[in-house]
């Protein structure tokens, strides 16, 4: 019989791209390299070959993770979880050391948190496609009151009740 206690070392994270959501149970100390590889394996295990028209990358390093700008309103947008390389004065790339690049614990991720993911498009310039790499394709579920709700007594597609006056 299962107990109601949870393991504080594990997090359930929700990864979203377009309308696809994947839940993964990860360790707080697990590297993001490992998390991305597990995410890629989870997608492949379902037989999916593309999401929202983009083919799955061959390499898990081509998966980019993002966190919401505002945890209370993911519709405000997303920012890259990984801090990019920076160049020093000599023109050499120097890796910026950051705990954000290492683990969910270092990034301050919490249980149940939503992360966006997208695929790095290396061939986009070769194909002449104009893709904005800063754009995140995440569709959050929403309830539209105009479509009808239990609160106003309607079902989806029901016309609103009209007041009628008897003269």
């Amino acid at each position: 019989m299962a107990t109601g206690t949870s393991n504080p070392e594990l997090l359930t994270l929700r990864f979203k791209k377009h309308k696809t959501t994947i839940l993964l149970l990860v360790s707080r100390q697990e590297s993001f390299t490992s998390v991305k590889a597990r995410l890629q394996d989870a997608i492949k295990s379902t037989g999916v070959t593309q999401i929202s028209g983009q083919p799955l990358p061959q390499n898990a390093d081509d998966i980019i993770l993002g966190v919401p700008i505002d945890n209370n309103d993911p519709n405000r947008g997303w920012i890259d979880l990984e801090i990019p390389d920076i160049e020093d004065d000599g023109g050499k790339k120097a890796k910026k050391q950051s705990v954000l690049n290492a683990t969910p614990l270092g990034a301050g991720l919490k249980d149940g948190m939503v992360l966006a993911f997208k695929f790095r498009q290396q061939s986009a310039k070769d194909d002449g496609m104009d893709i904005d790499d800063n754009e995140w394709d995440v569709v959050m579920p929403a309830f539209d009151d105009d479509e009808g709700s239990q609160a106003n007594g309607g079902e989806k597609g029901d016309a609103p009740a009209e007041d009628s006056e008897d003269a």
Side-chain angles (χ1 to χ4, degrees):
M1 176 152 66
T3 62
T5 60
S6 63
N7 185 340
E9 288 300 312
L10 298 176
L11 297 172
T12 301
L13 298 176
R14 298 179 291 161
F15 295 87
K16 292 193 68 64
K17 177 169 177 53
H18 195 63
K19 293 181 180 180
T20 302
T21 303
I22 298 159
L23 275 69
L24 285 181
L25 187 64
V26 301
S27 167
R28 293 178 188 272
Q29 301 293 335
E30 188 172 353
S31 72
F32 281 118
T33 301
S34 173
V35 170
K36 291 193 286 187
R38 290 185 51 215
L39 175 62
Q40 183 183 36
D41 290 343
I43 297 168
K44 285 182 178 180
S45 72
T46 64
V48 172
T49 58
Q50 65 179 5
I51 298 175
S52 184
Q54 287 188 305
L56 290 162
Q58 296 297 320
N59 188 343
D61 289 335
D62 290 332
I63 297 175
I64 302 168
L65 300 177
V67 292
I69 292 171
D70 180 352
N71 286 329
N72 295 321
D73 186 9
N75 290 321
R76 288 195 56 212
W78 305 84
I79 56 172
D80 287 358
L81 179 65
E82 188 173 328
I83 296 173
D85 295 341
I86 57 172
E87 290 187 17
D88 63 7
D89 292 337
K92 297 180 184 176
K93 282 198 173 183
K95 193 82 157 172
K96 184 172 183 180
Q97 298 298 320
S98 171
V99 293
L100 288 178
N101 290 337
T103 66
L105 177 66
L109 301 183
K110 306 226 182 306
D111 192 42
M113 194 164 178
V114 178
L115 291 150
F117 68 96
K118 62 183 177 179
F119 306 137
R120 185 171 284 120
Q121 296 295 315
Q122 296 175 343
S123 63
K125 292 179 182 173
D126 296 338
D127 294 337
M129 296 170 54
D130 185 21
I131 295 178
D132 182 4
D133 284 339
N134 294 326
E135 221 174 279
W136 294 89
D137 179 17
V138 177
V139 178
M140 298 300 291
F143 184 75
D144 189 1
D145 285 334
D146 293 337
E147 295 290 327
S149 71
Q150 291 179 343
N152 67 17
E155 294 284 328
K156 186 174 181 176
D158 285 353
E162 293 183 21
D163 292 335
S164 62
E165 294 182 22
D166 292 324

